[in-house]
Amino acid sequence: MDILNGETDNYDGVTVTMDEPMDAEVFTHRLRASLSHWREQGKKGIWIKLPLGFANLIESAVTEGFRYHHAEPEYLMLVCWISNTPDTIPANASHIVGVGALVLNKSTREVLVVQEKSGYFRDKNVWKLPTGVVHEGEDICDGVAREVEEETGIIADFVEVLSFRQSHKAFLKQKTDLFFLCVLTPRSYDITEQKSEILEAKWMPIKEYVDQPWNQKKEMFKIMAEICEKKCDEDYVGFSTVETVTGTGKKSFVYCNADHAKSLIATRDQASSSSSL
């Protein structure tokens, strides 16, 4: 049988990755045979991954009932539900993750701020915290430190997440933005602006940052700025990281109350020391 090669998943689905050029008519014949075979096997969601060089197969797949699921720079993913049960194929990624950095110089009570050359804040004369988007496969704690270094040249260590907010239809008027406000401790203080994006960067007294007209007039920014001020003035505890592994053994982080995180890490270190004796 001319069945397309596919990898079965844990949800009775099949993923086909096209890796050899194929004539559209030949593909249509093999796809129809494959769909019939998979239906007999009780399969449900069928995924077809088409690299850039296989655009000639898109029309054939759509004609057989496939729809677009998502696209990346190097491929298009199509999907089709072939079971008589309700379609439970998950939607395409619905969120992006943004980060903002409160880089705090405790000895001077100053925070690192920037003015941007482009984007929403261009020409608004607003001094804002360094911000950016976390990359695919990047942890929040690493992404925020990277953004700070890229925009200002400052090397800083992640301390904790202070707060986060959710904004719907924020990206492309469709995707939800999850934004995490993080605290970082600087290891360096000499600024080198990212010329392509940053007009100017400097250290600013925390009160001056909070009291900017923009932060006082815009409620959400005012709330965030006041949280930053609280962190400077009080023992305001956020969410720190505990490094761990997933069920499949991949490195991951749990974000929890900073005091509890220290306790968890200390307990684990003590257990590890005892077992090595």
Side-chain angles (χ1 to χ4, degrees):
M1 245 194 281
D2 273 343
I3 305 301
L4 295 169
N5 292 325
E7 182 178 348
T8 302
D9 60 35
N10 293 327
Y11 302 93
D12 293 321
V14 177
T15 299
V16 175
T17 300
M18 301 300 297
D19 53 13
E20 294 183 6
M22 189 177 299
D23 178 79
E25 289 188 11
V26 173
F27 174 71
T28 297
H29 170 76
R30 294 187 63 183
L31 180 57
R32 287 174 178 171
S34 300
L35 291 172
S36 177
H37 174 69
W38 291 326
R39 284 190 180 97
E40 291 178 0
Q41 289 188 323
K43 301 304 180 186
K44 297 177 179 178
I46 310 300
W47 305 73
I48 296 181
K49 184 177 181 179
L50 293 180
L52 275 177
F54 295 78
N56 64 309
L57 306 182
I58 295 175
E59 184 177 356
S60 297
V62 171
T63 300
E64 296 304 315
F66 282 79
R67 64 181 187 267
Y68 297 163
H69 186 269
H70 67 272
E72 294 290 345
E74 67 278 4
Y75 72 85
L76 170 68
M77 184 70 81
L78 299 104
V79 68
C80 181
W81 187 262
I82 63 172
S83 171
N84 291 325
T85 59
D87 186 339
T88 58
I89 290 174
N92 181 26
S94 59
H95 290 62
I96 61 170
V97 177
V99 287
L102 174 63
V103 185
L104 177 61
N105 184 338
K106 290 184 178 180
S107 62
T108 63
R109 287 182 51 80
E110 293 179 318
V111 295
L112 183 63
V113 293
V114 300
Q115 285 191 338
E116 296 177 338
K117 286 184 175 181
S118 60
Y120 182 74
F121 286 97
R122 181 176 60 184
D123 299 328
K124 285 186 169 64
N125 195 32
V126 174
W127 291 96
K128 58 184 287 292
L129 302 179
T131 59
V133 176
V134 175
H135 292 169
E136 182 177 347
E138 184 177 46
D139 289 296
I140 292 169
C141 51
D142 295 330
V144 69
R146 172 187 52 75
E147 285 289 349
V148 169
E149 184 177 2
E150 287 179 357
E151 292 190 358
T152 68
I154 298 294
I155 308 296
D157 297 319
F158 172 86
V159 178
E160 59 193 17
V161 173
L162 273 185
S163 66
F164 69 91
R165 67 106 175 98
Q166 188 176 27
S167 178
H168 300 299
K169 296 186 177 181
F171 180 66
L172 299 177
K173 297 182 180 179
Q174 182 176 358
K175 304 297 183 182
T176 295
D177 176 29
L178 280 174
F179 181 85
F180 291 83
L181 176 61
C182 305
V183 181
L184 293 90
T185 300
R187 278 194 269 152
S188 62
Y189 299 89
D190 294 332
I191 294 171
T192 303
E193 292 96 344
Q194 183 182 31
K195 299 302 181 184
S196 60
E197 296 185 13
I198 303 302
L199 181 66
E200 190 178 353
K202 68 178 182 179
W203 293 97
M204 175 181 280
I206 180 64
K207 182 165 179 53
E208 185 179 340
Y209 164 72
V210 173
D211 288 344
Q212 290 182 97
W214 180 273
N215 287 338
Q216 293 303 309
K217 292 178 182 178
K218 305 291 185 178
E219 183 182 57
M220 186 186 70
F221 288 89
K222 183 176 183 179
I223 291 171
M224 289 285 199
E226 288 176 349
I227 290 173
C228 293
E229 189 172 30
K230 267 189 170 294
K231 180 62 181 178
C232 296
D233 292 340
E234 305 172 15
D235 189 18
Y236 188 97
V237 178
F239 291 86
S240 191
T241 54
V242 179
E243 184 176 330
T244 183
V245 293
T246 66
T248 57
K250 292 184 294 186
K251 176 183 173 181
S252 184
F253 291 97
V254 172
Y255 293 79
C256 63
N257 175 279
D259 290 339
H260 186 55
K262 291 177 184 177
S263 175
L264 288 173
I265 293 170
T267 300
R268 184 169 61 188
D269 290 346
Q270 185 178 13
S272 177
S273 298
S274 299
S275 63
S276 62
L277 296 178

